[in-house]
Amino acid sequence: MQSQGFSGKLTVKDGFLQCPVCRQNKKVHRIDEDTKGVNIPVFCRFCKWELRIDISAGQCFPSRSQR
């Protein structure tokens, strides 16, 4: 897994997470308003980058928990 050290909220547009690396308007992962999760692996098929995220109330953050 690659680490870029992103901090803060990730961009969710039209219910889909956007890749913080390539910033494509492509659909990386669907996020609903009631979605919750911790340490979820998300892979961008366009730039081949993997990120672990935490989701709370439809907002995404880079995961702070270590495996």
Coordinates of all heavy atoms in Angstrom, one line a residue:
M1 N 0.8 -1.2 0.0 CA 0.0 0.0 0.0 C 0.9 1.2 0.0 O 1.9 1.3 0.7 CB -0.9 0.0 1.2 CG -1.8 1.2 1.3 SD -3.1 1.1 2.5 CE -2.2 1.6 3.9
Q2 N 0.5 2.2 -0.8 CA 1.3 3.5 -0.9 C 0.8 4.4 0.2 O -0.4 4.4 0.5 CB 1.1 4.1 -2.2 CG 1.6 3.2 -3.3 CD 1.2 3.7 -4.7 OE1 0.6 4.8 -4.8 NE2 1.6 3.0 -5.7
S3 N 1.6 5.3 0.7 CA 1.2 6.2 1.7 C 1.6 7.6 1.2 O 2.7 7.9 1.0 CB 1.9 5.9 3.0 OG 1.6 6.9 3.9
Q4 N 0.6 8.5 1.1 CA 0.8 9.9 0.7 C 0.7 10.9 1.8 O 1.0 12.0 1.7 CB -0.2 10.2 -0.4 CG 0.0 9.5 -1.7 CD 1.2 9.9 -2.5 OE1 1.7 11.1 -2.3 NE2 1.8 9.0 -3.2
G5 N 0.1 10.4 3.0 CA 0.0 11.3 4.1 C -1.1 12.3 4.0 O -1.0 13.4 4.4
F6 N -2.2 12.0 3.4 CA -3.4 12.9 3.2 C -4.0 13.1 4.6 O -4.1 12.2 5.4 CB -4.4 12.3 2.2 CG -3.9 12.3 0.8 CD1 -3.6 11.1 0.2 CD2 -3.8 13.5 0.1 CE1 -3.1 11.1 -1.0 CE2 -3.3 13.5 -1.2 CZ -3.0 12.3 -1.8
S7 N -4.4 14.3 4.8 CA -5.2 14.6 6.1 C -6.4 15.4 5.8 O -6.5 16.0 4.7 CB -4.3 15.3 7.0 OG -3.9 16.6 6.5
G8 N -7.4 15.3 6.6 CA -8.6 16.0 6.4 C -9.6 15.2 5.6 O -9.5 14.0 5.4
K9 N -10.7 15.8 5.3 CA -11.8 15.1 4.6 C -11.5 14.9 3.1 O -11.0 15.8 2.5 CB -13.1 16.0 4.8 CG -14.3 15.3 4.3 CD -15.6 16.0 4.8 CE -15.8 17.3 4.1 NZ -17.1 17.9 4.2
L10 N -11.9 13.7 2.6 CA -11.7 13.4 1.2 C -12.9 13.9 0.4 O -14.0 14.0 1.0 CB -11.5 11.9 1.0 CG -10.3 11.3 1.7 CD1 -10.3 9.8 1.6 CD2 -9.0 11.9 1.1
T11 N -12.8 14.0 -0.9 CA -13.9 14.6 -1.7 C -14.9 13.5 -2.1 O -14.5 12.5 -2.6 CB -13.3 15.2 -3.0 OG1 -12.3 16.2 -2.6 CG2 -14.3 15.9 -3.8
V12 N -16.1 13.8 -1.8 CA -17.2 12.9 -2.2 C -18.1 13.8 -3.1 O -18.6 14.8 -2.7 CB -18.0 12.4 -1.0 CG1 -19.2 11.5 -1.5 CG2 -17.2 11.5 -0.1
K13 N -18.3 13.3 -4.4 CA -19.0 14.1 -5.3 C -20.1 13.2 -5.9 O -19.8 12.1 -6.4 CB -18.1 14.7 -6.4 CG -18.8 15.6 -7.4 CD -17.8 16.1 -8.4 CE -18.5 17.0 -9.4 NZ -17.6 17.5 -10.4
D14 N -21.3 13.7 -5.9 CA -22.5 12.9 -6.4 C -22.6 11.5 -5.8 O -23.0 10.6 -6.5 CB -22.4 12.8 -7.9 CG -22.5 14.2 -8.6 OD1 -23.2 15.1 -8.0 OD2 -21.9 14.4 -9.7
G15 N -22.2 11.3 -4.6 CA -22.3 10.1 -3.9 C -21.1 9.1 -4.1 O -21.2 8.0 -3.7
F16 N -20.1 9.6 -4.8 CA -18.9 8.7 -5.1 C -17.6 9.4 -4.6 O -17.4 10.6 -4.8 CB -18.8 8.4 -6.6 CG -19.8 7.5 -7.1 CD1 -21.0 8.0 -7.6 CD2 -19.7 6.1 -7.0 CE1 -22.0 7.1 -8.0 CE2 -20.6 5.3 -7.5 CZ -21.8 5.7 -8.0
L17 N -16.7 8.6 -4.0 CA -15.4 9.1 -3.6 C -14.6 9.3 -4.8 O -14.5 8.5 -5.7 CB -14.8 8.0 -2.7 CG -13.4 8.3 -2.2 CD1 -13.4 9.5 -1.3 CD2 -12.8 7.1 -1.5
Q18 N -13.9 10.5 -4.8 CA -12.9 10.8 -5.8 C -11.5 10.5 -5.3 O -11.2 10.7 -4.2 CB -12.9 12.3 -6.2 CG -14.2 12.7 -6.9 CD -14.2 14.1 -7.3 OE1 -13.7 15.0 -6.5 NE2 -14.6 14.4 -8.5
C19 N -10.7 10.0 -6.2 CA -9.3 9.6 -5.9 C -8.5 10.9 -5.5 O -8.5 11.9 -6.3 CB -8.6 8.9 -7.0 SG -6.9 8.5 -6.7
P20 N -7.9 10.9 -4.3 CA -7.1 12.1 -3.9 C -5.8 12.3 -4.7 O -5.2 13.3 -4.6 CB -6.9 11.9 -2.4 CG -6.9 10.5 -2.2 CD -7.9 9.9 -3.3
V21 N -5.4 11.2 -5.4 CA -4.1 11.3 -6.1 C -4.3 11.8 -7.5 O -3.7 12.8 -8.0 CB -3.4 9.9 -6.2 CG1 -2.2 10.0 -7.0 CG2 -3.1 9.5 -4.8
C22 N -5.1 11.2 -8.3 CA -5.3 11.5 -9.7 C -6.5 12.5 -9.9 O -6.6 13.1 -11.0 CB -5.5 10.3 -10.6 SG -7.0 9.4 -10.3
R23 N -7.3 12.7 -8.9 CA -8.4 13.7 -8.9 C -9.3 13.6 -10.1 O -9.9 14.5 -10.6 CB -7.8 15.1 -8.9 CG -7.0 15.5 -7.7 CD -7.8 16.1 -6.7 NE -6.9 16.5 -5.6 CZ -7.2 16.5 -4.3 NH1 -8.5 16.2 -4.0 NH2 -6.4 16.8 -3.4
Q24 N -9.5 12.3 -10.6 CA -10.4 12.0 -11.7 C -11.8 12.2 -11.2 O -12.1 12.0 -10.0 CB -10.2 10.6 -12.2 CG -8.9 10.4 -12.8 CD -8.7 11.1 -14.1 OE1 -9.7 11.2 -14.9 NE2 -7.5 11.5 -14.4
N25 N -12.7 12.6 -12.1 CA -14.1 12.6 -11.8 C -14.8 11.3 -11.9 O -16.0 11.1 -12.2 CB -14.8 13.7 -12.6 CG -14.4 15.1 -12.2 OD1 -14.1 15.3 -11.1 ND2 -14.4 16.0 -13.2
K26 N -14.0 10.2 -11.9 CA -14.4 8.9 -12.0 C -15.0 8.4 -10.7 O -14.7 8.9 -9.6 CB -13.3 8.0 -12.5 CG -12.5 8.5 -13.6 CD -13.1 8.3 -14.9 CE -12.1 8.7 -16.0 NZ -12.4 9.0 -17.2
K27 N -15.7 7.3 -10.8 CA -16.3 6.7 -9.6 C -15.3 5.7 -9.0 O -15.1 4.6 -9.6 CB -17.6 6.0 -10.0 CG -18.6 6.9 -10.6 CD -19.8 6.2 -11.1 CE -20.8 7.1 -11.7 NZ -22.0 6.4 -12.3
V28 N -14.8 6.0 -7.8 CA -13.8 5.1 -7.1 C -14.6 4.2 -6.2 O -14.4 3.0 -6.1 CB -12.7 5.9 -6.4 CG1 -11.8 5.0 -5.7 CG2 -12.0 6.7 -7.5
H29 N -15.5 4.8 -5.3 CA -16.2 4.0 -4.4 C -17.5 4.7 -4.0 O -17.5 5.9 -3.8 CB -15.4 3.8 -3.1 CG -15.9 2.8 -2.1 ND1 -15.8 1.5 -2.4 CD2 -16.5 3.0 -1.0 CE1 -16.4 0.8 -1.3 NE2 -16.8 1.7 -0.5
R30 N -18.6 4.0 -4.0 CA -19.9 4.7 -3.7 C -20.0 4.9 -2.2 O -19.8 4.0 -1.3 CB -21.0 3.8 -4.2 CG -22.3 4.5 -3.9 CD -23.5 3.8 -4.6 NE -24.7 4.6 -4.3 CZ -25.8 4.3 -4.8 NH1 -26.0 3.4 -5.6 NH2 -26.9 5.1 -4.4
I31 N -20.5 6.1 -1.8 CA -20.6 6.5 -0.4 C -22.1 7.0 -0.2 O -22.4 8.1 -0.8 CB -19.6 7.6 0.0 CG1 -18.2 7.2 -0.3 CG2 -19.8 7.9 1.5 CD1 -17.7 6.0 0.4
D32 N -22.9 6.4 0.6 CA -24.2 6.8 0.9 C -24.2 7.7 2.1 O -23.2 7.6 2.9 CB -25.2 5.7 1.1 CG -25.4 4.9 -0.2 OD1 -25.4 5.5 -1.3 OD2 -25.7 3.7 -0.1
E33 N -25.3 8.4 2.4 CA -25.3 9.3 3.6 C -25.3 8.5 4.9 O -24.8 9.0 5.9 CB -26.6 10.1 3.5 CG -26.5 11.2 2.5 CD -27.8 12.0 2.5 OE1 -28.6 12.0 3.4 OE2 -28.0 12.8 1.5
D34 N -25.8 7.3 4.9 CA -25.8 6.5 6.1 C -24.7 5.4 6.2 O -24.7 4.6 7.1 CB -27.2 5.8 6.3 CG -27.5 4.8 5.1 OD1 -26.8 4.9 4.1 OD2 -28.4 4.0 5.2
T35 N -23.7 5.5 5.3 CA -22.6 4.6 5.3 C -21.7 4.8 6.4 O -21.3 6.0 6.7 CB -21.8 4.6 3.9 OG1 -22.7 4.4 2.9 CG2 -20.7 3.6 3.9
K36 N -21.2 3.8 7.1 CA -20.2 3.9 8.2 C -19.3 2.7 8.0 O -19.6 1.6 7.6 CB -20.9 3.8 9.6 CG -21.8 4.9 9.9 CD -22.4 4.7 11.3 CE -23.3 5.9 11.5 NZ -23.9 5.8 12.9
G37 N -18.0 3.0 8.3 CA -17.0 1.9 8.2 C -15.6 2.4 8.7 O -15.4 3.6 8.7
V38 N -14.8 1.5 9.1 CA -13.5 1.8 9.6 C -12.4 1.0 8.8 O -12.6 -0.2 8.6 CB -13.4 1.5 11.1 CG1 -12.0 1.7 11.6 CG2 -14.4 2.3 11.9
N39 N -11.4 1.6 8.4 CA -10.2 1.0 7.7 C -10.6 0.2 6.5 O -10.2 -1.0 6.3 CB -9.5 0.1 8.7 CG -8.1 -0.2 8.4 OD1 -7.5 0.6 7.6 ND2 -7.5 -1.2 8.9
I40 N -11.4 0.8 5.6 CA -11.9 0.1 4.4 C -10.9 0.4 3.3 O -10.5 1.5 3.0 CB -13.2 0.7 4.0 CG1 -14.3 0.5 5.0 CG2 -13.7 0.1 2.6 CD1 -15.6 1.2 4.8
P41 N -10.4 -0.7 2.6 CA -9.4 -0.5 1.5 C -10.2 -0.1 0.2 O -11.2 -0.6 -0.1 CB -8.8 -1.9 1.3 CG -9.8 -2.8 1.9 CD -10.6 -2.1 2.9
V42 N -9.7 1.0 -0.4 CA -10.2 1.5 -1.6 C -9.1 1.6 -2.7 O -8.0 2.1 -2.4 CB -10.9 2.9 -1.4 CG1 -11.4 3.5 -2.7 CG2 -12.0 2.8 -0.4
F43 N -9.4 1.1 -3.9 CA -8.4 1.0 -4.9 C -8.8 1.8 -6.1 O -9.9 1.6 -6.6 CB -8.1 -0.4 -5.4 CG -7.1 -0.6 -6.4 CD1 -5.8 -0.5 -6.1 CD2 -7.5 -0.9 -7.7 CE1 -4.8 -0.6 -7.1 CE2 -6.5 -1.1 -8.7 CZ -5.2 -0.9 -8.4
C44 N -8.0 2.8 -6.6 CA -8.3 3.5 -7.8 C -7.8 2.8 -9.0 O -6.6 2.6 -9.1 CB -7.7 4.9 -7.7 SG -8.0 5.9 -9.2
R45 N -8.7 2.3 -9.9 CA -8.3 1.5 -11.0 C -7.6 2.4 -12.1 O -7.1 1.9 -13.1 CB -9.5 0.8 -11.6 CG -10.6 1.6 -12.1 CD -11.7 0.7 -12.5 NE -12.8 1.5 -13.1 CZ -13.9 1.9 -12.4 NH1 -14.0 1.6 -11.1 NH2 -14.8 2.6 -13.0
F46 N -7.7 3.7 -12.0 CA -7.1 4.6 -13.0 C -5.7 4.9 -12.7 O -4.9 4.8 -13.6 CB -8.0 5.9 -13.1 CG -9.4 5.6 -13.3 CD1 -10.3 5.7 -12.3 CD2 -9.8 5.2 -14.6 CE1 -11.7 5.4 -12.5 CE2 -11.2 4.9 -14.8 CZ -12.1 5.0 -13.8
C47 N -5.3 5.2 -11.5 CA -3.9 5.5 -11.2 C -3.2 4.4 -10.4 O -2.1 4.5 -10.0 CB -3.8 6.8 -10.4 SG -4.5 6.8 -8.8
K48 N -4.0 3.3 -10.1 CA -3.4 2.1 -9.4 C -3.0 2.4 -8.0 O -2.0 1.9 -7.5 CB -2.3 1.5 -10.2 CG -2.6 1.2 -11.6 CD -3.7 0.3 -11.8 CE -3.9 0.0 -13.3 NZ -5.2 -0.1 -13.8
W49 N -3.7 3.3 -7.3 CA -3.3 3.7 -5.9 C -4.3 3.2 -5.0 O -5.5 3.1 -5.2 CB -3.3 5.2 -5.9 CG -2.7 5.8 -4.7 CD1 -1.3 5.9 -4.4 CD2 -3.3 6.4 -3.5 NE1 -1.1 6.4 -3.2 CE2 -2.3 6.8 -2.6 CE3 -4.7 6.6 -3.2 CZ2 -2.6 7.4 -1.4 CZ3 -4.9 7.2 -2.0 CH2 -3.9 7.6 -1.1
E50 N -3.8 2.7 -3.8 CA -4.7 2.1 -2.8 C -4.7 3.0 -1.5 O -3.7 3.5 -1.1 CB -4.3 0.7 -2.4 CG -5.2 0.1 -1.4 CD -4.8 -1.3 -1.0 OE1 -4.8 -2.2 -2.0 OE2 -4.5 -1.6 0.1
L51 N -5.9 3.2 -0.9 CA -6.0 4.0 0.2 C -7.0 3.3 1.2 O -7.9 2.7 0.8 CB -6.7 5.4 -0.2 CG -7.2 6.3 0.8 CD1 -6.0 6.9 1.6 CD2 -8.0 7.4 0.1
R52 N -6.7 3.5 2.5 CA -7.6 2.9 3.5 C -8.4 4.2 4.1 O -7.8 5.2 4.4 CB -6.9 2.2 4.6 CG -6.2 1.0 4.0 CD -6.1 -0.1 5.1 NE -5.5 -1.3 4.5 CZ -6.2 -2.4 4.3 NH1 -7.5 -2.4 4.7 NH2 -5.7 -3.4 3.8
I53 N -9.7 4.0 4.1 CA -10.5 5.1 4.6 C -11.4 4.8 5.7 O -11.7 3.6 5.9 CB -11.4 5.7 3.4 CG1 -12.4 4.6 2.9 CG2 -10.5 6.2 2.3 CD1 -13.4 5.1 1.9
D54 N -11.9 5.8 6.4 CA -12.9 5.7 7.5 C -14.1 6.5 7.0 O -13.9 7.6 6.4 CB -12.4 6.2 8.8 CG -11.3 5.4 9.4 OD1 -11.1 4.3 9.1 OD2 -10.6 6.0 10.3
I55 N -15.3 5.9 7.1 CA -16.5 6.6 6.6 C -17.4 6.8 7.8 O -17.7 5.8 8.6 CB -17.2 5.8 5.5 CG1 -16.3 5.4 4.4 CG2 -18.4 6.5 5.0 CD1 -16.9 4.5 3.4
S56 N -17.9 8.0 8.0 CA -18.8 8.3 9.0 C -19.9 9.3 8.5 O -19.5 10.4 8.1 CB -18.1 8.9 10.2 OG -19.0 9.3 11.2
A57 N -21.1 8.9 8.5 CA -22.2 9.8 8.1 C -22.0 10.4 6.7 O -22.3 11.5 6.4 CB -22.4 11.0 9.1
G58 N -21.5 9.5 5.8 CA -21.4 9.9 4.4 C -20.1 10.8 4.1 O -19.9 11.2 3.0
Q59 N -19.3 11.0 5.1 CA -18.0 11.7 4.9 C -16.9 10.8 5.0 O -16.8 9.9 5.9 CB -17.9 12.8 5.9 CG -19.0 13.9 5.8 CD -18.8 15.0 6.8 OE1 -18.0 14.9 7.7 NE2 -19.7 16.0 6.7
C60 N -15.8 11.0 4.2 CA -14.7 10.1 4.1 C -13.4 10.8 4.7 O -13.2 12.0 4.4 CB -14.4 9.7 2.7 SG -15.7 8.7 2.0
F61 N -12.6 10.0 5.4 CA -11.4 10.5 6.0 C -10.3 9.4 5.8 O -10.7 8.2 5.8 CB -11.5 10.8 7.5 CG -12.6 11.7 7.8 CD1 -13.9 11.3 8.1 CD2 -12.4 13.1 7.8 CE1 -14.9 12.2 8.4 CE2 -13.4 14.0 8.1 CZ -14.7 13.5 8.4
P62 N -9.1 9.8 5.6 CA -8.0 8.8 5.6 C -8.0 8.0 6.9 O -8.2 8.6 7.9 CB -6.7 9.6 5.4 CG -7.2 10.9 4.8 CD -8.5 11.1 5.4
S63 N -7.8 6.7 6.8 CA -7.9 5.9 8.0 C -6.7 6.2 8.9 O -5.5 6.3 8.5 CB -7.9 4.4 7.7 OG -8.0 3.6 8.8
R64 N -6.9 6.3 10.2 CA -5.9 6.5 11.2 C -5.5 5.2 11.9 O -4.5 5.2 12.6 CB -6.3 7.5 12.2 CG -6.6 8.9 11.6 CD -6.9 9.9 12.7 NE -7.1 11.2 12.0 CZ -7.9 12.1 12.4 NH1 -8.5 12.0 13.6 NH2 -8.0 13.2 11.8
S65 N -6.3 4.2 11.7 CA -5.9 2.9 12.4 C -4.9 2.1 11.6 O -4.9 2.1 10.4 CB -7.2 2.1 12.6 OG -7.9 1.9 11.4
Q66 N -4.1 1.4 12.2 CA -3.1 0.6 11.6 C -3.4 -0.9 11.7 O -4.0 -1.3 12.7 CB -1.7 0.8 12.3 CG -1.2 2.2 12.2 CD -0.8 2.6 10.8 OE1 -0.4 1.8 10.0 NE2 -1.1 3.8 10.4
R67 N -3.2 -1.6 10.7 CA -3.5 -3.1 10.7 C -2.4 -3.9 11.4 O -1.3 -3.7 11.3 CB -3.6 -3.6 9.3 CG -5.0 -3.6 8.9 CD -5.1 -4.1 7.5 NE -5.9 -5.4 7.6 CZ -6.1 -6.1 6.5 NH1 -5.7 -5.8 5.4 NH2 -6.8 -7.2 6.7

